[in-house]
Amino acid sequence: ELKVEQNPLFLSMQEGKNYTIYCNYSTTSDRLYWYRQDPGKSLESLFVLLSNGAVKQEGRLMASLDTKARLSTLHITAAVHDLSATYFCAVRTQGGSDKLVFGKGTKLTVNP
Amino acid sequence: EPEVTQTPSHQVTQMGQEVILRCVPISNHLYFYWYRQILGQKVEFLVSFYNNEISEKSEIFDDQFSVERPDGSNFTLKIRSTKLEDSAMYFCASRWTVLFSNYGYTFGSGTRLTVV
């Protein structure tokens, strides 16, 4: 059974600082997703990572994937308050219905 | 950009009552999913639906739950006799079948179900 672990679960950081969120998963998968969720809102797709070594960047966020280590990272550069949200990684199960298995999420708070 | 539409956005119901949550997936998508998120917790898979039948369901999706696609556009989740622990945000998602390099899952805005 696929398990997805994120850490840290809570992250409080100062504006301008850098930090990394980690996502480990237990079985082989070919697609990893990062989502952002604001309180009471839906899941906003940030990145889809498809292959080993994939790196994608959008603004102050950069995601990478190491399929051999079964590890993805979401790196935040020079954080700003607008990045405050909960970030989820989700891994696609292979075969069957291709459902997503989510991590517990990282609640990020960026303080002025 | 195409959206997955969910209604209602918020529903309050008495324990033991039946509720139907509605979703209109993106028109050319073929795979449909329901997920739920209990407040402050992670997003959990409930059920997937393809070709007018359930393709996979989780342990959460017991006999109280059912899904159907009655008219080729709407995709519904029914909870027959709601319990307090069914209170959660329910998300519908859909995806296309073709494995384009960037295919993803589109999530709806969610229905917040409160059972009192």
Side-chain angles (χ1 to χ4, degrees), chain A residues 23 48 50 108:
Chain A
C23 175
V48 180
L50 304 174
L108 172 66

Side-chain angles (χ1 to χ4, degrees), chain B residues 12-23:
Chain B
V12 181
T13 189
Q14 297 239 326
M15 194 168 54
Q17 294 296 305
E18 175 183 286
V19 294
I20 298 176
L21 310 183
R22 291 183 168 80
C23 169

